């Protein structure tokens, strides 16, 4: 579980527990009080609120009266609490941000704050993500899964979980057969020397379109026969198409690896559909013989009607397995190979029904770990003019997208540094910003909502974007470097904008916890945006370099702490912070 890691909340919760004892003679553990502390509706109403609903019920009074009684009974407040005010059913606390900053800011600057232990005994968890199919092109839509999964992994690891990062690319199936079919029977050109993976993806789209167009034509029967023969060779693992599969599969893997390297993501284990296939068929047979799976019109599967999940087919009439069959074997393997206690799948929402079926079948098979499996779904990525589809020819291939973005960043933002910076630094910074734009844009939207991909919008420096946060960081960093070391270590937090900034800084770990527990890295992106804005508000009102000591040093330290927090927060999303921009 997560620890009670926020020292300020902890102290306040302890005084609350004492106050509750004094006011109502109730034993109310401070841990419970800690969990109940929440945000106030506005700054004017204080900095943290304690609700009295539960206590009023236990003390047989009404919450507003209970709030008044607790206000009167809490005689000892932690040093950082200025005052307490009962407001309706809540007791609200106002903080002394100078005291808070005196403790918090040095620990952020030294890095101690970020080493704090946030949790204990977390379940060993596997997070499976980015499972593209081989023989298909990687496009901007694939980035949502990749960025979301990677951010979840980083957040979990930072929070103290032991995480196994896995992937499960689809390297067998009809899409592969279609691609090889077109290459063999219809493609007349040369095979390119470079970017074979992307080229292969285009072969697949062309194949798909051709097969669709020829439906109902004279060629249809021949096409089907050829495809069946290819699939057969792939199943039997021999023949010219099997050899072609082996070669072409490597091209796709090469492309995936290039993308993973660019995006700075790594997997601890790669599972392959082709590797679980034959064991999955054996497993299905075994359970059929045990009498758990049934036969229906020559197919074998499980009747999930009682659970309103239809029929889950596991073996076709020809004895071959299906996607669900493989997932059943895969789940078994994951638990066996890694002794995990939780098994998460980052997969788009179209597969909701599939996973419900798989998890239900696992449960009916008596697989105890079924309840530890969870599908983390997300909605699609669309273009401003609608859904992406290879048929419409409007997919945005990943590598050309990246190249375009990098070019745009160089033209729009970095052109003015051409005479000052080396070409390497310009290239490196442009890459960092492009990654920031894509990753932030992909993560910023709640997984349950659709994303509209708009390159200009994701690059802009005056709205919520990755580059905006990176720019905020780089600007603070340049200023701090220019002004040199602070001359005093005394904090002087007086102006409202300074207080707002400290309030933001102190909630970093609370935000990290929420983003992790709720599988919503978007909570962290929103926070980083708020923090950047709080800093900009501060910067507009509070001169740093021209102020008198100790205000100057205090503001310098606040700036440093903000930069450190932005950098750490970005790193949990897999985004680098450029030193200048
Ligand atoms: N390769 C599949 C696809 O592209 C996704 C695999 C998801 N993971 C799983 N264990 N089923 O649709």
């Amino acid at each position: 579980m997560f620890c009670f890691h926020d020292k300020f909340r902890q102290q306040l919760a302890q005084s609350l527990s004492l106050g509750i004892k004094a006011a109502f003679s109730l034993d109310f553990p401070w841990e419970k009080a800690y969990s109940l502390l929440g945000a106030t509706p506005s700054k004017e109403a204080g900095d943290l609120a304690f609700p009295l609903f539960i206590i009023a019920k236990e003390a047989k009074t009404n919450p507003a009266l209970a709030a008044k009684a607790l206000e009167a009974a809490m005689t000892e407040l932690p040093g950082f609490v200025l005052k307490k005010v009962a407001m309706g059913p809540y007791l609200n606390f106002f903080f002394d941000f100078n005291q808070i900053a005196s403790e918090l800011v040095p620990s952020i600057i030294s890095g101690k704050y970020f080493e704090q232990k946030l949790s204990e005994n977390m379940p060993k968890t596997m997070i499976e993500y980015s499972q593209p199919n081989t023989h298909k092109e990687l496009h901007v839509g694939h980035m949502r899964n990749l960025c979301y999964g990677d951010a979840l992994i980083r957040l979990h690891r930072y929070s103290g979980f032991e995480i196994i990062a896995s992937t499960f690319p689809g390297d067998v199936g009809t899409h592969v057969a279609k691609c090889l079919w077109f290459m063999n029977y219809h493609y007349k050109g040369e095979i390119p020397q470079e970017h074979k993976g992307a080229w292969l993806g285009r072969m697949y789209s062309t194949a798909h379109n051709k097969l669709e167009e020829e439906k109902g034509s004279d060629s249809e029967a021949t096409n089907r026969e050829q495809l069946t023969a290819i699939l057969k060779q792939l199943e039997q693992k021999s023949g010219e198409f099997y050899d072609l599969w082996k070669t072409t599969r490597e091209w796709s893997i090469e492309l995936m690896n290039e993308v993973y390297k660019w995006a700075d993501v790594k997997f601890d284990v790669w599972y392959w559909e082709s590797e679980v296939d034959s064991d999955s068929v054996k497993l299905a047979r075994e359970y059929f013989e045990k009498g758990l799976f049934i036969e229906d019109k020559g197919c074998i599967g499980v009747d999930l009607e009682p659970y309103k999940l239809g029929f889950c087919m596991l073996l076709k009439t020809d004895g071959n397995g299906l996607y669900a069959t493989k997932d059943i074997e895969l789940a078994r393997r994951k638990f066996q190979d890694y002794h995990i206690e939780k098994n998460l799948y980052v997969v788009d929402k179209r597969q909701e029904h599939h996973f419900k079926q798989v998890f239900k079948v696992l449960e009916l098979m008596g697989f105890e770990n079924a309840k530890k499996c969870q599908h983390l779904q997300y909605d699609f990525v669309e273009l401003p003019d609608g859904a992406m589809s290879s048929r419409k020819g409007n997919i945005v291939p990943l590598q050309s997208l990246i190249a375009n973005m990098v070019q745009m960043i160089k033209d729009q933002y970095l052109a003015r540094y051409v005479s000052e910076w080396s070409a390497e630094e310009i290239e490196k910074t442009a890459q960092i910003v492009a990654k920031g734009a894509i990753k932030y844009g992909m993560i910023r939207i709640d997984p349950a909502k659709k994303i509209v991909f708009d390159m200009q919008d994701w690059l802009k420096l005056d709205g919520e974007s990755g580059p905006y946060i990176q720019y905020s960081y780089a600007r603070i960093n340049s200023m701090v470097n220019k002004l040199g070391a602070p001359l005093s270590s005394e904090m002087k937090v007086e102006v409202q904008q300074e207080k707002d900034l400290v309030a933001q800084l102190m909630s970093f770990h609370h935000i990290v916890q929420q983003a992790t527990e709720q599988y919503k890295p978007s909570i962290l992106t929103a926070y980083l945006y708020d923090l950047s804005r709080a800093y900009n508000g501060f910067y507009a009102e509070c001169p740093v370099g021209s102020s008198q000591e100790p205000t100057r040093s205090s503001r310098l330290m606040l700036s440093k702490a903000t930069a450190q927090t932005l950098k750490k927060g970005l790193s949990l999303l897999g985004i680098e912070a450029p030193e200048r921009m």
Side-chain angles (χ1 to χ4, degrees):
M1 67 163 215
F2 269 93
C3 306
F4 299 98
H5 50 76
D6 184 330
K7 297 288 161 276
F8 299 109
R9 278 176 196 246
Q10 182 177 340
Q11 286 175 46
L12 181 55
Q14 282 160 342
S15 343
L16 273 165
S17 177
L18 292 175
I20 293 164
K21 180 95 191 159
F24 315 102
S25 306
L26 284 176
D27 283 319
F28 200 78
W30 69 263
E31 291 88 344
K32 235 164 131 180
Y34 181 108
S35 314
L36 284 174
L37 281 167
T40 56
S42 70
K43 276 194 292 240
E44 291 66 42
D47 299 299
L48 267 185
F50 183 73
L52 281 115
F53 304 100
I54 298 176
I55 285 157
K57 205 166 170 196
E58 283 186 41
K60 302 202 167 53
T61 170
N62 79 55
L65 285 178
K68 287 258 178 259
L70 184 57
E71 182 184 9
M74 265 180 92
T75 43
E76 296 221 8
L77 289 174
F80 68 92
V81 178
L82 280 179
K83 60 172 181 173
K84 53 186 180 335
V85 180
M87 293 189 195
Y90 293 90
L91 183 56
N92 292 2
F93 298 93
F94 292 75
F95 292 170
D96 173 349
F97 285 104
N98 198 57
Q99 270 231 20
I100 291 178
S102 307
E103 262 187 61
L104 179 72
V105 170
S107 90
I108 293 179
I109 294 176
S110 72
K112 279 224 155 50
Y113 177 81
F114 302 112
E115 285 161 16
Q116 216 181 309
K117 187 163 130 194
L118 297 186
S119 69
E120 249 166 17
N121 303 323
M122 290 311 212
K124 184 175 179 184
T125 302
M126 181 174 285
I127 301 184
E128 184 209 288
Y129 72 115
S130 178
Q131 316 88 335
N133 291 328
T134 62
H135 300 76
K136 282 193 191 176
E137 185 141 41
L138 286 173
H139 56 76
V140 59
H142 287 101
M143 287 310 274
R144 185 166 199 183
N145 184 318
L146 192 68
C147 300
Y148 177 38
D150 182 50
L152 285 178
I153 286 170
R154 289 173 193 267
L155 279 166
H156 276 78
R157 287 194 171 138
Y158 180 79
S159 299
F161 282 75
E162 186 182 345
I163 294 292
I164 317 286
S166 72
T167 184
F168 183 53
D171 58 341
V172 281
T174 47
H175 69 282
V176 179
K178 286 180 189 177
C179 175
L180 302 185
W181 167 80
F182 186 83
M183 264 180 87
N184 187 70
Y185 293 108
H186 300 283
Y187 183 66
K188 298 284 180 286
E190 298 270 312
I191 293 171
Q193 289 304 307
E194 276 176 33
H195 306 300
K196 291 183 182 172
W199 174 82
L200 199 61
R202 292 195 294 276
M203 286 290 102
Y204 163 74
S205 317
T206 325
H208 179 81
N209 290 343
K210 189 172 171 63
L211 286 164
E212 287 295 310
E213 277 163 25
E214 293 182 359
K215 269 194 185 148
S217 79
D218 296 345
S219 321
E220 189 180 4
T222 322
N223 292 349
R224 197 174 318 124
E225 258 165 48
Q226 290 170 335
L227 281 171
T228 311
I230 298 174
L231 276 169
K232 188 147 202 156
Q233 284 193 20
L234 298 183
E235 275 147 23
Q236 292 173 341
K237 299 197 194 316
S238 75
E240 52 170 337
F241 282 103
Y242 178 66
D243 294 337
L244 187 60
W245 171 75
K246 275 197 292 195
T247 314
T248 50
R249 179 178 178 273
E250 291 303 320
W251 301 346
S252 291
I253 297 173
E254 213 171 279
L255 170 62
M256 290 177 196
N257 278 325
E258 275 167 32
V259 171
Y260 296 150
K261 188 164 172 225
W262 179 83
D264 193 23
V265 308
K266 284 190 191 72
F267 302 97
D268 300 306
V269 54
W270 291 61
Y271 288 108
W272 294 97
E273 283 198 21
S274 61
E275 278 174 6
V276 297
D277 196 12
S278 65
D279 281 352
S280 76
V281 169
K282 275 189 217 138
L283 191 70
R285 296 221 157 283
E286 193 190 310
Y287 277 81
F288 173 63
E289 272 143 35
K290 279 189 187 165
L292 259 144
F293 297 168
I294 57 160
E295 199 176 322
D296 184 45
K297 300 186 202 89
C299 303
I300 285 168
V302 188
D303 179 17
L304 299 178
E305 244 352 298
Y307 314 97
K308 304 244 176 308
L309 292 171
F311 184 76
C312 179
M313 209 208 281
L314 296 168
L315 295 176
K316 292 186 284 191
T317 39
D318 62 7
N320 284 316
L322 291 101
Y323 182 40
T325 326
K326 296 190 193 92
D327 256 320
I328 284 162
E329 166 61 14
L330 176 69
R332 196 194 59 74
R333 272 193 204 191
K334 285 178 173 178
F335 282 93
Q336 186 190 307
D337 294 351
Y338 289 93
H339 305 286
I340 48 173
E341 294 155 294
K342 200 165 193 185
N343 182 20
L344 303 176
Y345 300 79
V346 179
V347 182
D348 77 60
K349 69 169 195 183
R350 272 176 307 187
Q351 300 197 19
E352 180 175 1
H353 183 69
H354 164 78
F355 280 107
K356 279 193 176 151
Q357 285 196 326
V358 168
F359 300 158
K360 186 48 96 184
V361 172
L362 285 166
E363 186 191 313
L364 297 174
M365 284 165 72
F367 185 68
E368 280 204 20
N369 292 319
K371 54 183 180 302
K372 299 177 189 156
C373 299
Q374 192 179 340
H375 174 199
L376 299 181
Q377 46 180 290
Y378 57 86
D379 208 332
F380 304 103
V381 180
E382 288 189 356
L383 298 173
D385 57 358
M388 253 183 291
S389 98
S390 36
R391 284 260 281 295
K392 280 204 254 164
N394 70 342
I395 60 163
V396 181
L398 205 49
Q399 282 168 320
S400 50
L401 163 82
I402 294 169
N404 285 344
M405 246 177 166
V406 167
Q407 196 52 49
M408 248 159 107
I409 293 160
K410 285 183 187 163
D411 296 344
Q412 289 181 8
Y413 305 137
L414 305 178
R416 57 195 148 137
Y417 300 122
V418 166
S419 54
E420 260 176 79
W421 299 8
S422 69
E424 286 98 76
E425 185 172 1
I426 291 199
E427 178 63 30
K428 195 175 146 218
T429 309
Q431 290 286 352
I432 291 177
V433 176
K435 275 179 244 194
I438 296 180
K439 291 186 177 185
Y440 193 96
M442 290 291 174
I443 296 166
R444 165 177 113 79
I445 308 292
D446 184 294
K449 297 197 186 112
K450 205 172 65 186
I451 288 183
V452 177
F453 173 69
D454 181 339
M455 181 145 70
Q456 275 302 345
D457 197 53
W458 290 24
L459 281 176
K460 69 182 181 204
L461 290 185
D462 56 355
E464 192 183 350
S465 72
Y468 169 76
I469 316 280
Q470 290 175 314
Y471 183 62
S472 305
Y473 169 81
R475 238 182 31 170
I476 303 173
N477 194 51
S478 303
M479 181 197 73
V480 164
N481 286 342
K482 207 174 74 199
L483 295 181
L487 301 175
S488 123
S489 58
E490 186 186 333
M491 292 307 299
K492 232 172 151 33
V493 173
E494 289 162 335
V495 181
Q496 188 57 43
Q497 283 81 2
E498 293 175 305
K499 295 178 186 168
D500 293 346
L501 188 55
V502 176
Q504 284 291 338
L505 290 172
M506 75 184 290
S507 60
F508 181 71
H509 279 155
H510 191 65
I511 293 289
V512 167
Q513 174 174 351
Q514 286 184 319
T516 310
E517 282 183 319
Q518 298 174 34
Y519 305 121
K520 279 187 182 179
S522 53
I523 294 176
L524 179 56
T525 53
Y527 167 80
L528 294 175
Y529 183 56
D530 289 343
L531 177 59
S532 302
R533 283 202 310 184
Y535 186 82
N536 288 342
F538 155 84
Y539 192 75
E541 290 303 315
C542 309
V544 183
S546 58
S547 291
Q548 295 297 310
E549 287 296 347
T551 301
R552 183 182 185 273
S553 288
S554 168
R555 290 182 177 168
L556 195 54
M557 287 190 285
L558 264 179
S559 302
K560 272 193 170 187
T562 305
Q564 297 287 85
T565 307
L566 286 175
K567 186 173 182 161
K568 178 58 83 180
L570 284 173
S571 79
L572 297 182
L573 305 170
I575 300 175
E576 264 180 272
E579 294 306 307
R580 49 182 193 170
M581 185 172 154

